[in-house]
Amino acid sequence: MAETTFMGVPRDKITWAPVIDYTRCNYCLECAKFCPHQVYEIREEEPRLIVANPNNCVVFCRACAKTCGPDAISFPEKSRVLETIKALRQQEGGK
C-alpha cells in the first residue's frame, strides 16, 4: 500500500512518477520486475508497459530508472517537485 502523504502533503498532489520514453523502451520489463510498489503494469496490448499507479511511486525514488538499460525512464526535476511540496505545505499551514 502506498503512503497517502509525503512531508505532510497528500501524495496525489505530488507529481512524482516515472515517464516511459517508448522510443527507447525495449520492453525488457526490468523496471516492473524491480519495483515492489506496483507502479507499472504489464499488458498484452501496446504499449506493453504503462505507469498504472503513479501515486504508488515513492517520492524521489529513481531506482527503477537505474535498472533500465536503454535509459527509457525519466522523472520530473527533483528541485521543482520539492518547490511544489514546500508551496503546498505553506498553503496547508496558512489555513
Side-chain angles (χ1 to χ4, degrees):
M1 179 76 187
E3 295 294 321
T4 59
T5 63
F6 180 79
M7 294 176 62
V9 175
R11 177 60 182 90
D12 62 354
K13 293 185 183 247
I14 302 170
T15 56
W16 183 266
V19 176
I20 302 166
D21 180 347
Y22 292 106
T23 64
R24 299 179 118 183
C25 182
N26 65 3
Y27 300 103
C28 68
L29 307 178
E30 288 301 317
C31 54
K33 293 175 195 171
F34 175 83
C35 180
H37 303 285
Q38 293 80 42
V39 171
Y40 298 98
E41 180 180 300
I42 301 167
R43 307 182 323 168
E44 293 299 319
E45 66 272 3
E46 295 295 326
R48 288 189 50 221
L49 179 71
I50 63 167
V51 177
N53 301 300
N55 290 341
N56 285 5
C57 186
V58 176
V59 178
F60 302 136
C61 180
R62 296 180 177 145
C64 63
K66 293 177 182 173
T67 70
C68 183
D71 200 25
I73 299 173
S74 62
F75 283 86
E77 188 177 322
K78 185 177 178 180
S79 62
R80 289 187 186 199
V81 174
L82 194 52
E83 286 174 20
T84 300
I85 291 169
K86 288 179 182 178
L88 289 167
R89 288 185 73 191
Q90 285 182 333
Q91 286 176 3
E92 289 296 315
K95 289 184 177 180

